[in-house]
Amino acid sequence: MPPLPPIETVPSSNAEERARILDLLFEPCTQLHTLAVESLGENKFRDYAELTGDVARQLQALHNSNLESDQKWLVDILAAHPRLGEKKVDSEQSRKEQAQLNQGGTGEGEKLAELNSTYEQKFPGLRYV
């Protein structure tokens, strides 16, 4: 996984580099880029924990919004994270996480898919805790 640049360089980096930083910290997602890239250029952060906290506040604002478009935007961002056991993932970090899950015996992937489906049926619209 490519290293994160020094935190003090984030505000002066171009929009493409700030999007790459978001992809390393979260999942590649155009909606997240639209939401947070500008903020990363406007604010200085002491560390990456503070930066992710800033993104979390933006996500919380979407969650708290009464606008249907904001709710859909949030769902699209959350949907960028792969389900447990999913084979096709975009980020290196998630590929490593999924590889750890897929080290079990035969049928484990199918069982995870079944559990994901059961969870999503029981809690429609709620994918991640």
Side-chain angles (χ1 to χ4, degrees):
M1 181 163 73
L4 289 166
I7 192 69
E8 61 273 2
T9 66
V10 172
S12 62
S13 62
N14 64 38
E16 186 177 297
E17 176 64 13
R18 293 191 310 265
R20 187 189 74 79
I21 290 167
L22 288 170
D23 290 350
L24 290 171
L25 294 171
F26 301 96
E27 292 294 326
C29 178
T30 301
Q31 292 87 344
L32 182 61
H33 296 168
T34 301
L35 179 71
V37 162
E38 187 175 329
S39 174
L40 270 59
E42 295 173 347
N43 297 303
K44 292 183 179 183
F45 304 99
R46 289 185 307 255
D47 52 34
Y48 277 99
E50 187 175 36
L51 183 151
T52 58
D54 182 67
V55 174
R57 282 186 291 284
Q58 293 176 66
L59 294 171
Q60 188 67 44
L62 289 177
H63 174 71
N64 293 336
S65 173
N66 292 325
L67 297 175
E68 187 175 324
S69 59
D70 286 349
Q71 296 298 312
K72 181 179 179 340
W73 204 260
L74 179 61
V75 167
D76 289 345
I77 291 170
L78 293 175
H81 193 283
R83 289 166 177 77
L84 296 176
E86 198 167 295
K87 300 290 185 213
K88 183 185 175 297
V89 294
D90 293 329
S91 73
E92 185 174 336
Q93 181 175 332
S94 285
R95 279 192 291 279
K96 289 178 182 178
E97 290 173 355
Q98 297 293 4
Q100 290 177 354
L101 289 172
N102 293 321
Q103 290 179 356
T106 57
E108 184 176 271
E110 291 81 14
K111 183 65 175 173
L112 285 171
E114 179 185 327
L115 291 170
N116 284 330
S117 177
T118 300
Y119 179 85
E120 290 173 11
Q121 287 173 13
K122 183 158 179 77
F123 305 102
L126 180 63
R127 290 189 178 167
Y128 312 100
V129 178

